[in-house]
Amino acid sequence: MAEIEWRDGEWDRLVDQLIKGDCVPFVGAGASAGVLPDARSLSRRLAEKYKYPYDRPDDLTEVTDYLVWWFGGDVPYVKSLICEEFRAGAEGMGAGLEPYALLAELPLPIFITTNYDDFLLKALARAHKKPNIAICPWHDQIDHSQELLSSEAGWNPRPDSPLIYHLHGSMRQPQSIVLTNDDYEEFITSLVADRDIIPPVIRAALTTRSLLFIGYGMRDMTFRTIFNGLQRVLPGMVRRRHVSVQLPPLGHRPEGGSGPSMMQYQAARFDKWRISIYWGTIDEFTGELRRRLGRHDDTPQQS
């Protein structure tokens, strides 16, 4: 399975960027797998509980659209229900949960996430750092921490007091989460209509630093929607080489054994966005990254 292996040069570049703070982790729902319910299992549970009658019980946006109708169009109420589900799961977070524990140890000033939970915040606090939180104001009822972003802690975050930017909202403010189909449409429309929605410190991070996508699937519409939307607003995102951790697809060989494998096909598609793919689980990735970071520490320093 040599095509799954990552070249040493890719590792060397990523390790060096992480150590120098020249990389921004971009964290998705898969990073919390096993602790929080994934979108599919949560969707099924809600679909069963509220008697969702259609043929897409695995699609959380479709089920939440139905719940909005079920509860008389009360979108804030539905968002509060979803946040309660995640808040209950977040109580079981262990101190050593990967990849959060590893990311928190690194000298990184900025983290971006589409997750609603506080796992990054808790991991950074456990690493004796003083993180700050800001939320993307994709609609006008979100408190997006303007006072913070106007201060040095916001516009010049440091590794010991990093900035966590919640692109899709936070369960601290249920009204801020991007959840329904209408939310996703409004989120992208707002990004394109007003590029200043993304604060300068985050725009600079997205266009001048390498990104490490962790917790997203290759067919994840959240990932595709985000990257396409951000790229329209910030075309400079494709100047740097990025990394995405991806599970190898099942049955990745084409029928009959001819033609490119699914991994080769997907790698070529991601390459248009200048994204290199690490094929493997998050645990495999963080385990190897820890090993290489430790080896880097053992390397004699040149005078």
Side-chain angles (χ1 to χ4, degrees):
M1 300 286 286
E3 65 182 329
I4 299 180
E5 295 177 4
W6 229 29
R7 292 186 298 106
D8 283 340
E10 296 273 24
W11 279 115
D12 291 344
R13 175 175 59 85
L14 178 61
V15 168
D16 188 56
Q17 289 173 336
L18 288 170
I19 290 172
K20 292 178 178 177
D22 191 32
C23 183
V24 178
F26 209 122
V27 184
S32 307
V35 180
L36 293 183
D38 60 36
R40 179 174 294 183
S41 62
L42 176 58
S43 182
R44 285 177 177 172
R45 186 161 70 244
L46 292 172
E48 181 178 0
K49 182 176 182 178
Y50 294 104
K51 300 178 175 60
Y52 174 77
Y54 307 116
D55 61 356
R56 299 179 68 180
D58 293 345
D59 189 326
L60 186 58
T61 56
E62 289 294 327
V63 172
T64 51
D65 280 348
Y66 171 77
L67 292 182
V68 170
W69 171 83
W70 179 266
F71 290 112
D74 194 336
V75 177
Y77 179 72
V78 173
K79 291 186 177 185
S80 294
L81 287 179
I82 298 298
C83 288
E84 287 175 9
E85 293 278 348
F86 282 108
R87 193 173 289 110
E91 292 176 358
M93 177 187 175
L97 179 65
E98 296 284 31
Y100 297 99
L102 174 57
L103 294 175
E105 295 169 11
L106 297 169
L108 302 171
I110 294 173
F111 298 82
I112 300 175
T113 182
T114 51
N115 296 345
Y116 313 141
D117 58 69
D118 280 342
F119 282 7
L120 273 172
L121 178 73
K122 293 177 180 179
L124 288 162
R126 285 191 176 100
H128 307 292
K129 298 181 180 181
K130 298 179 180 179
N132 294 296
I133 290 177
I135 300 173
C136 177
W138 58 276
H139 67 72
D140 59 11
Q141 296 179 18
I142 297 172
D143 176 5
H144 59 289
S145 306
Q146 185 58 47
E147 183 176 349
L148 165 66
L149 294 171
S150 299
S151 70
E152 184 175 2
W155 55 258
N156 186 30
R158 300 179 182 277
D160 60 348
S161 55
L163 177 65
I164 303 170
Y165 193 70
H166 283 268
L167 194 63
H168 273 183
S170 166
M171 62 186 184
R172 290 167 170 255
Q173 292 184 46
Q175 74 274 17
S176 71
I177 69 173
V178 178
L179 181 65
T180 66
N181 279 304
D182 286 347
D183 287 343
Y184 279 94
E185 291 177 9
E186 184 177 351
F187 175 81
I188 293 299
T189 300
S190 297
L191 277 186
V192 174
D194 183 4
R195 70 190 300 268
D196 290 334
I197 282 177
I198 305 294
V201 65
I202 300 300
R203 291 203 303 269
L206 290 169
T207 54
T208 64
R209 299 179 186 178
S210 180
L211 305 176
L212 170 59
F213 294 97
I214 189 163
Y216 297 97
M218 68 175 66
R219 296 182 179 179
D220 191 331
M221 285 307 297
T222 297
F223 173 80
R224 294 178 180 274
T225 300
I226 291 168
F227 204 93
N228 277 321
L230 289 174
Q231 189 182 350
R232 289 170 64 186
V233 178
L234 304 170
M237 281 182 67
V238 294
R239 292 178 188 150
R240 297 296 300 269
R241 192 78 186 175
H242 311 304
V243 171
S244 180
V245 180
Q246 298 280 335
L247 284 173
L250 297 174
H252 62 89
R253 279 291 173 194
E255 191 173 339
S258 61
S261 72
M262 181 60 73
M263 285 188 289
Q264 292 170 325
Y265 170 66
Q266 291 293 344
R269 295 185 67 187
F270 274 62
D271 197 61
K272 71 180 180 181
W273 291 334
R274 297 184 63 77
I275 297 176
S276 298
I277 299 179
Y278 169 88
W279 294 108
T281 66
I282 291 176
D283 285 345
E284 289 168 342
F285 174 79
T286 53
E288 181 62 14
L289 180 55
R290 277 192 180 279
R291 187 182 74 81
R292 289 177 179 264
L293 286 165
R295 189 178 66 184
H296 185 279
D297 291 341
D298 293 338
T299 302
Q301 299 296 312
Q302 294 182 350
S303 58

